[in-house]
Structure formats: structure tokens, C-alpha cells
Amino acid sequence: KVLGQVTVNGRAARTGMLIQAGDAVATGADSEAVYVIGQDAFLQRENTTVQFLGDAAEDFFRIATGKLLSVFGKGRKTLRVPTATIGIRGTACYIEAAAEKTYFCLCYSEAEVTPTAAPQQAETIRTFHHDHPIYIHGDPAMATRMVGAEVINHSDAELVMLENLMGRWPPFYGKTGNKY
């Protein structure tokens, strides 16, 4: 799905276009893209660039700035944002990345979050339903790089939609009363 200004490797995106390892997907103002790569699905919001680095677990994608909701199939992947490295395994997450801080909601499952400015503060997060969203700060003067946050800017309906693209359902589906 393509709404507004969306490019893949600098060329105008279109519905049905193949996106693969090595590609960069960018959205402009008031734009959005929904796409699938393998067993993973993405909802990319406005003013976001995602660089897919490869299909190896070490580096799956990098976001310099922007907003991305993702659901992932089984297997380990590493996500890179300006303030952290995030290791995931078959999960869903929402990221709002900026140079000074990154919002990260592990919507369900497990992730290892390592702040770039303080790798010794790495934390394994386990959630069932948006249980532990955080801000990851890049300021080296801060004593604690990861602080609790509220759930923002993504919904269960969007997670269900992305999982359904893959023929799956989120683990919370039917347990919270939320229906798509």
C-alpha cells in the first residue's frame, strides 16, 4: 500500500513493487507505506527512511529518523536506531527514532535493547501486550539511558492488520477484547 510520496531506492514506489535486502524505503510528509519482506510486515509512517541492510540476523534494518511499526516472523534480527541496537526474535515493535532519543514499544514477545551510549545498561524486555514501552536516550550525561514511557502512536488494529498480511494473529488477539 502506498499513500503520498513513497520511494524505494529513490524511485517512486508503487503497489506490488518488490522490496528486498539492500533497499531503502522512504516516506515524505503526509505519506505512509505498508509492505512485506519475507515473513515480516511493516507500516512506515511519514518522514521515515528505513535501510534494509541484509537478510542476516546481525543487521536487518537501520532507521536514522522516523516511525515504523513492524511484525516479524521467527528468527533473530538486529534493528539499529540512532540510540540503540535492538535484538528481536519473532515479535512486533513500534519505533520512533530520532538522534537524541528513540521511542521503543515491544508490543509482544522478547527483545534485547542495548543503548549505544551505555552498552552496560542492556536490558532484556519481555512483554505480552505493550507492557514496557521505553525511551532510549543518546545523551551520555544521563545516568539512565532507558526510561519508561506510555504507549503512543500505534494500535492493536494495526498490529492485527500486519500480522494478518502474514497469515498470523498477534498473541493477545481475543484476550483483550480488541477485534479487527
Side-chain angles (χ1 to χ4, degrees):
K1 174 179 151 185
V2 176
L3 294 172
Q5 180 188 354
V6 180
T7 62
V8 177
N9 301 325
R11 300 164 79 186
R14 65 187 184 291
T15 301
M17 183 178 222
L18 180 64
I19 299 173
Q20 54 196 355
D23 287 346
V25 180
T27 51
D30 300 318
S31 300
E32 184 176 275
V34 175
Y35 52 94
V36 171
I37 300 175
Q39 291 299 305
D40 311 318
F42 305 91
L43 169 58
Q44 185 169 324
R45 301 204 192 280
E46 73 282 346
N47 299 318
T48 301
T49 299
V50 180
Q51 174 71 51
F52 290 92
L53 302 168
D55 53 5
E58 287 74 34
D59 280 306
F60 185 63
F61 71 63
R62 180 180 318 271
I63 303 174
T65 61
K67 304 168 185 175
L68 185 71
L69 180 64
S70 310
V71 300
F72 300 95
K74 293 182 181 179
R76 290 189 56 82
K77 291 186 173 66
T78 300
L79 318 178
R80 305 224 182 246
V81 297
T83 60
T85 300
I86 303 166
I88 56 135
R89 293 177 282 289
T91 187
C93 66
Y94 179 69
I95 295 170
E96 288 193 9
E100 64 283 349
K101 74 177 177 181
T102 299
Y103 172 84
F104 175 71
C105 178
L106 179 64
C107 303
Y108 41 85
S109 200
E110 182 177 311
E112 177 76 21
V113 180
T114 306
T116 304
Q120 71 278 9
Q121 292 182 11
E123 179 181 341
T124 298
I125 299 173
R126 291 177 187 86
T127 69
F128 178 71
H129 191 218
H130 313 286
D131 303 316
H132 187 55
I134 58 174
Y135 284 106
I136 310 158
H137 293 273
D139 182 354
M142 293 184 71
T144 302
R145 299 310 185 295
M146 296 186 290
V147 295
E150 299 294 319
V151 176
I152 61 169
N153 301 333
H154 65 293
S155 70
D156 288 345
E158 291 168 328
L159 287 166
V160 169
M161 180 268 300
L162 290 175
E163 288 285 18
N164 282 183
L165 287 173
M166 308 314 306
R168 303 183 303 243
W169 291 93
F172 61 77
Y173 184 77
K175 297 182 171 118
T176 62
N178 295 323
K179 301 290 182 198
Y180 179 64

